[in-house]
Amino acid sequence: MNTKTLVIVGHGMVGHRLVEAMRSRDEAGQWRIVVFGQESRPAYDRVSLSSYFEGASEGELSLVADDVRRDQAVELRLGARVVAVDRDAQTVRTASGQTRGYDTLVLATGSYPFVPPVPGRDLPGCFVYRTLDDLDAIRTAAEAAVARGDPGRRSGVVVGGGLLGLEAARALRLLGLSPHVVEIAPRLMPVQVDEGGGALLRRLVEDLDVAVRCGVSVQSIAKGPRGRGLVAALSDGIELDADVVVFSAGIRPFDQLARAMGLPVGERGGVLVNDYCRTADERIYAIGECAAIAVRGAVGGVGRTYGLVAPGYAMAEVVADRLLGGGATVTAADLDTSTKLKLLGVDVASFGDAHASTRGALEVVINDPVAGSYQKLVVSDDAKTLLGGILVGDASRYATLRSLMGSKLPADPVAMIAPGGVAVGADELPDSAQICSCNAVTKGTLRAAIAKGAHDVPALKACTKAGTTCGSCLPTLKLLLKQSGVTVSKAVCEHFACSRQELFQIVAGTGIQTFSELVARYGSGRGCDICKPAVASILASTGACGSHILDGEQATLQDTNDHFLANLQRNGTYSVIPRIPGGEITPEGLIAIGEIARDFKLYTKITGGQRIDMFGARVEQLPAIWRRLVDAGFESGHAYGKALRTVKSCVGTDWCRYGVQDSVSMAILLELRYRGLRSPHKLKSAVSGCARECAEARSKDFGVIATEAGWNLYVCGNGGFRPRHADLLAADLGTETLVRTIDRFLMFYIRTADRLQRTAPWLEAMEGGLDHLREVIMDDKLGICAELDAAMARHVAGYSDEWRGVLEDPVKLARFNSFVNAPGTPDPTVEFVDRRGQRVPVGYDRGSQRVLISGPTLQVAGK
């Protein structure tokens, strides 16, 4: 048999996928493969490009396994740019003059960054964000800026607020610069998200020290004063100082070779190919970002290019099949642009007809600014078929919803995205449902792999490639394994093979005080947004770190709200809630809060936990507000943390004629004892002075109800979308026994619960349930009560107010600015309107033609 030569021009992710597909299928050895890569490096993972700044090496990002390097049928030529193709002679020529013949040629040249024609775009300090060489250059410039030691100028401007632009902003943060994203569209990620999703995304991104300006463009770039740095002039007249400017304003297909050899290209660029990726020349194919593919039924019509890796992978698989005698074609489903990403720590997902362009489509939207979640489904005009969706803030439902796209909905669309609503399990999905959209892996394929012995996630990834690209389908893979009777790992994440409970024991037993030491000794990699906050909570609750949560490395581990010791709100401002133990407050305290709210123009509201919430504080105002509160005798209420929130109370025997115990004093005692206690999830409590239960103690994580003989203790209740009454743990307890029992209950919960597990599901999942809990913390069945008592004693003795800790530390204070290069300058994008005598955020009316849930109001309308 004569061996034919396949020449692939381009060794990116898609080009390398073709190499892998050919070598895994070409058992007869029909083809010899020659790959020309323009970069000096072999193919690497561009999806994870920013991890390069988190410590990932070139080797870790590389996609080329050793067996490919050793494969005698694959010739890899790096640093070899193909500049010409002779279609008649069937040869390619490189910039160095080398020529190589081909039987079949595949163009996998990808794309190049689009740089707007801005005066000054070629100045030193201006970069694009595309290759590892680009990242090396950005790193060098950023390190030089940081080394200069001028905090007023350690900043960067990112031109473009799409997927790559937000990744670039994340990279600048990792390099120690303060990024400022400029997007010409009215919102971030305009292709993937709508107005509502874009508004929430902006607020969440701005909370992470990234300034955002939408609806403006960069007009020019000039050298800064005295030749230091750069100045970017915007279309609205604002000038931004910057050490670096990164252009991430989109991509264009790299189709110059095709144009030079006379192949037809699309109206917007890209080599025109048919549904099996062949060009007008039967010996030449094109795949990936350089291909403008014509597929019937694809969104966007025919001749469209695709900038995501999943469609490129599908094209590579089809070409491999065709070259080996098959008849595969690219389908509209293969060109799905669904994506789920974590951008700057914010989950964003978009799939299908996200913008409801289908005739008669209805939009179902639940926007919860308090929880930081925007959920939207696009359904058919009869509300029975899922067409697409957008998820911002919480994308946990993405894998399931993406799999149902085009199928009949198993439940009401509102219930499917409402918090605590209908959960569609993997067992309810048909075998045809696509679980991994990046690699087009169906549920049926995964079930078959499990039946053949793939009994863990790594094995499933190896044999099906599911979960090997973006990773968003990994939770579903675990569910499928569990439903197949396979024991699933309880690992916290990919960086720690142990559970949260085991991590807690490691920290408590070894005395480890930092995340870095913990991951180095007992984990792998550099951690992620799952394990870092979990470990931060463990370090705080065990007292292992022995410092403020914003000290040193601890600050980098915290969740969004903990990072600023306040709750982020829908317009990018924060709410401030001082602690009011038991709900008891003096007239002087009320006056102090009123004066602070008046002076800072804050919206005030009484909370359900008997506290006063002040909304609308800008980040640079927080320390000044805290100073006034601390001077008036208040401290942090920890409303921002996974910690004790409040201990609510009725007035008890002091005033109520039905009261049988002093509920206010008890509530104050408990709140002051457990304040600042970090836990797997938030904790709420209440004390009622009699059986009439005015404080609603049985809806709390731990609740106390007075009796004639003492106190009844109830545990593991909660309100919310799935209310659960607390269970009676013990009756008629004296005060000392009550407090000791609560101490042990809380410490046992902190010690054994899973990450983000409330006390109610913790108890429900506990083997032996309430009886076992009672045996552990009251009968000392496990012999750990002394340890639990000691742990609580350490917490009580070590408590300090986190607000005061910031006020007493200039380093911590420095982080509370809207703009690093202009301390004290308010964010001009934050605007308010007056409503009922107070200020509320402006510009968040989502309009009609949606399902909106806001307070008690539910509006439904079609498009």
Side-chain angles (χ1 to χ4, degrees), residues 626-801:
W626 297 339
R627 171 61 66 193
R628 294 272 298 272
L629 287 169
V630 169
D631 289 346
F634 292 100
E635 63 182 17
S636 168
H638 288 96
Y640 48 81
K642 300 295 186 289
L644 177 77
R645 298 293 176 83
T646 65
V647 181
K648 186 176 176 181
S649 74
C650 65
V651 295
T653 52
D654 283 345
W655 294 95
C656 180
R657 57 197 175 103
Y658 300 109
V660 294
Q661 300 287 353
D662 185 357
S663 56
V664 177
S665 294
M666 176 58 73
I668 293 172
L669 182 154
L670 295 177
E671 185 158 349
L672 294 181
R673 183 172 182 80
Y674 305 129
R675 57 186 172 179
L677 180 64
R678 299 284 167 158
S679 56
H681 212 301
K682 63 186 176 184
L683 292 166
K684 295 183 178 181
S685 180
V687 181
S688 288
C690 73
R692 287 173 172 78
E693 245 280 76
C694 293
E696 302 168 328
R698 291 195 64 193
S699 65
K700 307 303 181 186
D701 295 283
F702 62 100
V704 179
I705 300 178
T707 69
E708 294 288 350
W711 307 95
N712 286 351
L713 174 59
Y714 294 82
V715 295
C716 301
N718 63 250
F721 282 92
R722 292 182 179 176
R724 183 187 189 277
H725 269 132
D727 295 321
L728 178 64
L729 181 70
D732 296 328
L733 301 177
T735 297
E736 182 179 347
T737 304
L738 172 70
V739 173
R740 182 173 64 249
T741 305
I742 296 174
D743 286 354
R744 294 173 179 177
F745 164 73
L746 293 175
M747 282 304 174
F748 188 54
Y749 163 64
I750 291 169
R751 185 172 182 166
T752 62
D754 287 333
R755 185 183 71 91
L756 299 181
Q757 187 178 41
R758 290 290 299 271
T759 58
W762 170 68
L763 180 63
E764 291 168 355
M766 185 183 298
E767 187 173 347
L770 186 68
D771 289 337
H772 176 69
L773 177 62
R774 188 179 290 114
E775 290 173 345
V776 171
I777 66 175
M778 300 192 74
D779 302 335
D780 201 12
K781 179 180 180 180
L782 301 181
I784 62 172
C785 283
E787 297 176 22
L788 302 178
D789 294 341
M792 183 59 75
R794 286 193 299 271
H795 163 73
V796 174
Y799 170 79
S800 61
D801 178 24

Side-chain angles (χ1 to χ4, degrees), residues 14-233:
V14 173
H16 186 65
R17 183 57 169 264
L18 178 57
V19 174
E20 291 181 323
M22 290 293 294
R23 295 307 300 140
S24 66
R25 302 180 190 182
D26 186 14
E27 297 178 358
Q30 302 176 50
W31 292 90
R32 174 172 177 77
I33 303 172
V34 182
V35 185
F36 290 91
Q38 182 171 331
E39 291 187 62
S40 60
R41 301 175 173 90
Y44 53 87
D45 185 1
R46 294 186 192 273
V47 175
S48 303
L49 204 58
S50 292
S51 64
Y52 190 54
F53 292 133
E54 292 183 310
S57 66
E58 287 185 34
E60 290 171 323
L61 290 174
S62 176
L63 300 176
V64 183
D66 290 340
D67 58 344
V68 175
R69 299 174 193 270
R70 295 190 300 264
D71 195 331
Q72 297 300 309
V74 178
E75 180 182 343
L76 184 56
R77 297 187 178 185
L78 300 177
R81 180 169 61 92
V82 174
V83 296
V85 177
D86 187 331
R87 292 168 58 189
D88 295 328
Q90 291 181 228
T91 60
V92 299
R93 176 169 56 85
T94 68
S96 64
Q98 294 179 331
T99 61
R100 185 62 187 256
Y102 65 82
D103 293 292
T104 295
L105 172 66
V106 176
L107 301 177
T109 48
S111 61
Y112 64 91
F114 169 67
V115 178
V118 175
R121 63 188 181 278
D122 296 324
L123 286 172
C126 293
F127 305 94
V128 294
Y129 193 85
R130 186 66 177 166
T131 68
L132 285 176
D133 287 335
D134 296 330
L135 268 61
D136 282 335
I138 293 171
R139 185 203 300 273
T140 299
E143 289 176 347
V146 173
R148 284 196 293 268
D150 182 3
R153 294 197 60 85
R154 289 191 344 218
S155 59
V157 170
V158 177
V159 182
L163 294 174
L164 204 58
L166 294 181
E167 278 293 302
R170 174 171 176 257
L172 294 185
R173 282 187 65 217
L174 292 171
L175 291 171
L177 300 183
S178 176
H180 199 130
V181 177
V182 179
E183 168 57 49
I184 193 171
R187 62 182 180 274
L188 296 174
M189 294 182 64
V191 175
Q192 288 79 19
V193 304
D194 60 4
E195 180 185 355
L200 177 62
L201 175 60
R202 175 173 180 167
R203 294 193 295 274
L204 296 177
V205 167
E206 288 179 328
D207 181 55
L208 298 169
D209 293 334
V210 177
V212 176
R213 296 193 67 80
C214 292
V216 297
S217 61
V218 175
Q219 296 293 291
S220 65
I221 300 170
K223 291 184 178 180
R226 299 182 299 279
R228 292 186 60 186
L230 300 167
V231 176

